[in-house]
Amino acid sequence: MATDTPEPSATQLAQALVEFSLRGSFPEENVSSLPLKPDALAEAIKALADARAKLQAEIHAINEDTADDVRAWQTNAQSVQDDMIRSKALANEIIKTSEAPAVSGKDTHDAEAKAEFLVRELNYNAQVQEALKGIRTVNRTLDEVEKARDERRILDALHLLERLWKELDAIPVNKSCRAIKLLDIRAFELKSEVHEVFDHVWNALINVDVEKHTVSMSSGRDDEPMSLSDAVIGLQAYKEVDRRTAQLWASLNAAVLVPRMDMERETLPGIQIQDNTLEVKGTTDKSVESLFTDLEKVFRFLVERLPGDLVETISPTLLPGVIHRVTSVWLDSAVPSSLNDMARFQQVIALAKSFCATLRKLGFTNLGDLLEWTESAPRVWLSKCREAALDAVRTKLSKGFGEPTRVEKIEKQMVSKSEGQQIAANGAAAVDDDGEGWGDAWGIGDDEPPKEEPKEAEKKAAAKPADDGDEDVADAWGWGDEAAEEEQLIEETRKKTEMEDEDPADAWGWGDDTNNDALTATATATKSEPEIRELVLKETYSISSMPHPVLDLIAAIVEDGAALTQDRHASSPVAAAAAGLFGVPTLALALFRAISPHYYAPKEGGNMFLYNDATWLSEKLADFSATWKTRHDISTRAQNMLRLDNDVKALQGFANRAYTNELSLKKMMLRDRLGGEQNLLQLDDTESYVASAVSMVRSIALEWEPILAKSVWQQAVGSMVDALASKIVSDVMDLPSIGQEEAYNIAKHIASVEELDDLFLPSKGEVPLTAQFAGSWLRLKYLSEVLQSNLRDVRYLWTEGELSLYFGVEEVLDLIGASFEDNARTREVVREIRGNPRPRGE
């Protein structure tokens, strides 16, 4: 039974005809073998017409886009065709000429010129042909680059681009040619497009998420034809190796290393690796061992997943930053500041060496600072000790004064009885070297007179007045009147040698050894065999809480240094630092001297506290150094390494400067209250100026009293009183004339100043000691006497009194000239005084 064959649709027929017309392709057999019916032709003709219209539109669009190029090509083609026609005509003419050559020279010359022209034309045509071939080749290469780009074959695209540049350079056409420019523009556009594809592939292979703290790396992906090794070639082609590795390091550092190595965080995360992903996760401790374990994971992850060239490139960027953070933060924090916990320090050194070995095995070589740290344990530890010591000094000073403490100063000196009497009058506590009271040391009891020769005792008994129940100062010390002459001579010698400045070296009320020897020699010359004993002076003064920790710190440092010289520490990794450790106290004391004034200055009486603290510290260090030399529990090497003599001297000088600076400051303030450079006695309301100055001296004395030792306080306050007295005396001497009423007022001002005598009343007796500590005090008193005296009294004071001890001849004559009228009586007194310049025979 026959079956009906389906008729081909008009659409199938039309499509087959269009494909054949456009591309010359035949339809499938099942279509071409079917019979063609007339009614299907209309649809086929319509399809062909539509295809024709579409093709014409495309050609028109292409013509519009390439109209300029086509016209240029047409012009060039027409020119070439014209040249070829001319060349052909010339060739025919040359052939004819060669068959029947002309004999004239002109014809020969024309023929040669035409021949050269034809050669140039042929060469030009050959160049044009070569250029066209080159352009065609470049265009085909560009098409290949596009295809490689679309297929994400980045490496092939880069190779094609590299070939493309060579092909462009090989075209024998000027680069300003429009065709070459267009090709160049298209090439750069393709390069940018390939770079965008490369970026996408790179980010797919290496992905760092800073917020999630993850790093993913894979050598290749199934959906990407480019591997990580190929990507390195791409980086080199685009010259982006350094930039990409820097970006990778910055991202890796922010995502993983910073969170893991931040010691200031309360808890630290650990590092974990799962497949191709490294992430910061969980928690870990702050030990160096845990840090090295996690860092090893990071570096091993990079080495196993990145190409060798890329690891080699990133290493100089990655390692220095990590190693610096490891050594300066983690390892340095593990360094002890003393010999305590030295076993842990040795363990840290071993861990650091092991980490270096691991990095070397992984191929990292630029370990620089980490290697140096492991090989320089003594230097590292010594640096930490220095840093800790200086920081301890800064910290203690920054905490302030604390609670002041009373300390005792003990000084020993060989003195005679009369010198001891003077010391007793000053109120100093004195005992002998055996700890007994001064009277007991001399065999003098409280209730019995001193043991003397019988004749001397009888003389004293005969001369002694009836006992009224009170003893004078000398009797209280068990001394009689036989020392009066010696005492007077010593006192006069002391006055001549007493310093009028504020040198704190004399602040303890003692002269230097030379003066003491002079006093002893004088006493010996006066009395045949004076009794000499060692006197132990004790005074108390206040220090702040600052110097004690500094002393304890220095003691602890040198004890560690001494321990390192012992055999039990011979194998210690820091044994070589022993010598350097003995130099740390010098640095600590230098820092104390440098910054302590800043912390002491705001405190009331701060400079005097600084003087006391520095003095106390220098004395304790001197004692410590002396004791150190006699210790038997330390090595001879350790004994010789401690050298604090220069530091003690520096502290003493520093203390002296603090004392002197305070006095200078207070004197300047006092002088300002007295009118400064102006004459006090010529100012309005002189009385208020004087009262203000006296009040200031009293307030300063009250401020310093709980701080300074008694003798230093007397010396310092005496210096202030002396400055006040000197200013008044100087201003009086500068007056051109002094009237009677003015003299009375001046004497009144001086009387108010003399009330400061009550600051220097001794603990026993009623005679103020002001003159001993204020060199100008007696000048002030005698000036007051002169101002209140007549000529006869002035002459008496000069000839019979002690005025000549405190004023020179010219000074007294100036006072007379300013205070008295110029008459015969005045001139007579002047002549008498001028003729007797040294009435006491000094």
Side-chain angles (χ1 to χ4, degrees):
M1 184 175 181
T3 58
D4 295 333
T5 302
E7 296 181 0
S9 66
T11 302
Q12 287 179 322
L13 178 61
Q15 185 64 33
L17 290 174
V18 169
E19 289 294 329
F20 177 79
S21 301
L22 291 177
R23 297 176 179 82
S25 58
F26 288 91
E28 296 295 332
E29 185 178 355
N30 59 348
V31 176
S32 61
S33 61
L34 295 176
L36 182 63
K37 294 183 178 182
D39 57 353
L41 292 177
E43 184 69 24
I45 293 171
K46 184 178 181 302
L48 286 173
D50 292 342
R52 178 184 176 186
K54 183 178 179 181
L55 185 60
Q56 287 176 343
E58 290 178 358
I59 293 172
H60 179 72
I62 294 173
N63 287 337
E64 288 295 327
D65 292 339
T66 61
D68 294 339
D69 293 337
V70 170
R71 282 193 292 270
W73 282 108
Q74 287 177 346
T75 302
N76 291 334
Q78 184 64 43
S79 176
V80 170
Q81 186 177 5
D82 293 342
D83 290 341
M84 292 176 66
I85 292 172
R86 285 196 300 273
S87 298
K88 186 175 181 180
L90 287 173
N92 292 331
E93 187 177 349
I94 291 172
I95 292 173
K96 291 179 180 179
T97 303
S98 62
E99 292 175 353
V103 295
S104 65
K106 184 177 181 304
D107 293 337
T108 303
H109 178 73
D110 292 341
E112 290 176 353
K114 291 178 180 180
E116 291 177 359
F117 173 76
L118 287 175
V119 170
R120 289 197 300 272
E121 288 296 318
L122 289 173
N123 291 337
Y124 174 74
N125 291 334
Q127 289 179 357
V128 171
Q129 185 179 15
E130 185 68 24
L132 293 174
K133 289 181 180 179
I135 291 172
R136 182 181 61 183
T137 301
V138 169
N139 199 48
R140 289 175 179 174
T141 304
L142 288 172
D143 292 340
E144 293 180 16
V145 173
E146 286 184 350
K147 184 177 181 182
R149 176 203 63 191
D150 296 339
E151 296 175 357
R152 308 176 79 84
R153 292 183 289 108
I154 304 301
L155 199 59
D156 291 343
L158 292 174
H159 287 313
L160 289 171
L161 284 172
E162 184 177 1
R163 190 181 79 187
L164 175 67
W165 305 127
K166 295 180 180 178
E167 291 173 351
L168 275 172
D169 292 338
I171 296 175
V173 178
N174 191 291
K175 302 306 177 185
S176 61
C177 175
R178 178 175 175 80
I180 300 300
K181 286 183 178 181
L182 292 173
L183 292 173
D184 202 39
I185 291 173
R186 186 182 177 198
F188 274 104
E189 289 176 351
L190 281 174
K191 182 179 180 182
S192 299
E193 293 171 0
V194 171
H195 187 269
E196 291 177 1
V197 177
F198 173 77
D199 277 343
H200 176 77
V201 176
W202 172 267
N203 293 330
L205 296 175
I206 298 179
N207 180 36
V208 181
D209 192 327
V210 176
E211 294 183 357
K212 294 183 179 179
H213 305 292
T214 60
V215 178
S216 298
M217 292 184 182
S218 57
S219 58
R221 290 172 60 107
D222 295 337
D223 57 344
E224 296 293 347
M226 185 178 74
S227 67
L228 199 54
S229 299
D230 294 338
V232 175
I233 299 175
L235 291 178
Q236 294 171 346
Y238 284 108
K239 297 180 181 180
E240 292 183 354
V241 176
D242 293 338
R243 185 176 69 84
R244 292 278 181 170
T245 53
Q247 289 178 349
L248 177 59
W249 150 240
S251 301
L252 179 65
N253 184 55
V256 177
L257 297 178
V258 169
R260 177 59 184 87
M261 301 179 71
D262 186 6
M263 285 196 71
E264 296 181 358
R265 298 178 60 168
E266 294 183 3
T267 59
L268 288 176
I271 292 179
Q272 298 180 9
I273 298 176
Q274 186 174 4
D275 297 331
N276 291 326
T277 301
L278 181 146
E279 61 181 335
V280 175
K281 189 176 182 181
T283 59
T284 187
D285 56 40
K286 292 186 177 182
S287 66
V288 174
E289 184 175 5
S290 298
L291 175 69
F292 284 157
T293 300
D294 283 347
L295 289 180
E296 181 181 343
K297 292 179 182 178
V298 173
F299 288 114
R300 192 176 296 279
F301 178 83
L302 295 176
V303 169
E304 291 176 352
R305 286 161 178 79
L306 290 178
D309 293 343
L310 201 57
V311 173
E312 208 172 302
T313 304
I314 199 175
S315 176
T317 306
L318 176 65
L319 269 182
V322 174
I323 288 178
H324 175 74
R325 205 176 309 163
V326 168
T327 55
S328 63
V329 179
W330 286 81
L331 294 182
D332 283 357
S333 65
V335 179
S337 58
S338 65
L339 287 180
N340 298 330
D341 206 15
M342 189 54 62
R344 174 59 183 163
F345 181 48
Q346 290 178 294
Q347 182 182 359
V348 170
I349 294 174
L351 289 171
K353 290 182 177 179
S354 175
F355 183 61
C356 285
T358 300
L359 291 179
R360 284 200 192 93
K361 289 180 181 179
L362 293 174
F364 297 99
T365 56
N366 50 336
L367 305 181
D369 293 343
L370 186 58
L371 278 176
E372 183 181 355
W373 192 94
T374 59
E375 296 170 357
S376 306
R379 179 185 59 78
V380 171
W381 182 72
L382 182 59
S383 297
K384 184 60 174 286
C385 291
R386 290 193 188 113
E387 182 181 328
L390 297 180
D391 187 61
V393 173
R394 280 191 295 266
T395 301
K396 180 56 188 173
L397 288 175
S398 65
K399 290 182 179 179
F401 270 65
E403 190 67 26
T405 306
R406 297 294 291 180
V407 295
E408 189 175 61
K409 176 181 175 63
I410 299 176
E411 186 170 334
K412 298 180 180 180
Q413 190 162 349
M414 300 301 295
V415 298
S416 65
K417 285 185 179 180
S418 58
E419 292 175 309
Q421 182 181 12
Q422 181 65 35
I423 294 168
N426 289 345
V431 296
D432 75 332
D433 52 350
D434 296 324
E436 300 175 314
W438 179 260
D440 294 337
W442 287 85
I444 303 173
D446 292 337
D447 301 324
E448 60 181 9
K451 295 180 180 180
E452 299 175 299
E453 296 295 328
K455 291 183 180 180
E456 289 293 324
E458 291 173 3
K459 291 179 182 179
K460 287 187 64 181
K464 187 175 181 180
D467 188 1
D468 58 0
D470 295 328
E471 295 180 331
D472 63 11
V473 176
D475 291 337
W477 287 85
W479 294 329
D481 295 334
E482 79 277 6
E485 181 180 355
E486 174 188 347
E487 177 187 351
Q488 181 180 357
L489 183 56
I490 292 176
E491 181 61 22
E492 292 175 359
T493 306
R494 187 185 298 277
K495 287 179 179 179
K496 292 181 180 180
T497 58
E498 183 178 1
M499 300 296 293
E500 293 185 1
D501 59 10
E502 304 78 32
D503 186 0
D506 300 328
W508 296 100
W510 296 95
D512 56 19
D513 295 339
T514 305
N515 292 340
N516 291 335
D517 293 340
L519 291 175
T520 304
T522 305
T524 304
T526 304
K527 190 174 180 180
S528 57
E529 293 183 359
E531 296 181 79
I532 303 294
R533 290 189 64 86
E534 184 181 67
L535 178 66
V536 180
L537 289 178
K538 293 183 179 180
E539 289 188 297
T540 60
Y541 58 96
S542 295
I543 62 172
S544 72
S545 62
M546 295 187 183
H548 275 102
V550 176
L551 181 64
D552 294 341
L553 173 67
I554 291 173
I557 291 172
V558 297
E559 287 292 347
D560 282 350
L564 286 177
T565 63
Q566 302 287 350
D567 293 338
R568 68 178 184 274
H569 288 286
S571 60
S572 172
V574 298
L581 203 59
F582 279 92
V584 175
T586 297
L587 298 177
L589 292 172
L591 180 65
F592 176 82
R593 296 194 303 271
I595 67 176
S596 57
H598 171 74
Y599 295 99
Y600 280 79
K603 173 74 174 178
E604 185 175 348
N607 277 329
M608 289 308 186
F609 266 111
L610 182 56
Y611 163 71
N612 283 352
D613 288 357
T615 300
W616 180 87
L617 189 57
S618 67
E619 292 172 353
K620 293 301 179 183
L621 287 175
D623 294 342
F624 179 82
S625 180
T627 304
W628 184 269
K629 303 297 182 184
T630 62
R631 286 177 57 176
H632 300 291
D633 59 334
I634 59 177
S635 65
T636 304
R637 180 185 171 205
Q639 289 179 341
N640 296 331
M641 281 182 178
L642 183 65
R643 297 183 180 90
L644 293 177
D645 293 345
N646 291 335
D647 297 316
V648 170
K649 292 178 182 178
L651 271 176
Q652 291 170 344
F654 176 69
N656 293 346
R657 288 192 297 275
Y659 177 93
T660 303
N661 291 341
E662 179 70 2
L663 279 181
S664 298
L665 177 62
K666 290 294 191 289
K667 284 183 178 181
M668 182 175 66
M669 295 169 60
L670 180 65
R671 188 172 182 84
D672 290 341
R673 292 203 180 191
L674 292 171
E677 298 299 324
Q678 303 178 71
N679 193 307
L680 171 66
L681 304 172
Q682 294 177 339
L683 297 175
D684 296 334
D685 198 10
T686 301
E687 183 176 357
S688 64
Y689 282 95
V690 174
S692 175
V694 171
S695 174
M696 177 181 175
V697 172
R698 289 190 180 279
S699 65
I700 291 174
L702 187 64
E703 176 186 314
W704 289 345
E705 189 172 13
I707 303 174
L708 299 174
K710 179 69 174 180
S711 59
V712 182
W713 179 86
Q714 289 173 327
Q715 186 79 12
V717 176
S719 180
M720 296 298 298
V721 173
D722 181 69
L724 174 56
S726 298
K727 170 66 173 171
I728 294 176
V729 171
S730 175
D731 287 352
V732 171
M733 298 301 295
D734 288 341
L735 292 175
S737 62
I738 304 174
Q740 184 176 358
E741 183 179 355
E742 189 174 6
Y744 171 79
N745 290 333
I746 295 173
K748 182 180 177 182
H749 299 327
I750 292 176
S752 66
V753 173
E754 288 175 345
E755 293 176 1
L756 293 174
D757 261 335
D758 60 6
L759 295 175
F760 298 93
L761 289 174
S763 57
K764 297 180 181 180
E766 299 180 356
V767 179
L769 304 176
T770 316
Q772 293 187 22
F773 304 102
S776 300
W777 191 249
L778 292 179
R779 276 173 61 85
L780 183 68
K781 283 182 172 290
Y782 273 98
L783 176 61
S784 178
E785 290 290 332
V786 170
L787 293 175
Q788 299 178 75
S789 301
N790 54 32
L791 279 173
R792 181 180 60 185
D793 293 336
V794 173
R795 181 177 61 181
Y796 176 81
L797 289 173
W798 180 263
T799 57
E800 303 297 334
E802 296 181 346
L803 180 60
S804 62
L805 295 177
Y806 305 103
F807 284 89
V809 174
E810 296 302 326
E811 289 178 320
V812 173
L813 296 182
D814 288 343
L815 282 173
I816 292 174
S819 303
F820 298 96
E821 294 182 0
D822 185 11
N823 53 33
R825 179 61 178 161
T826 302
R827 289 193 290 272
E828 179 184 351
V829 172
V830 169
R831 283 195 301 271
E832 188 173 349
I833 292 175
R834 194 183 296 279
N836 189 11
R838 295 183 178 179
R840 298 181 62 85
E842 298 90 344

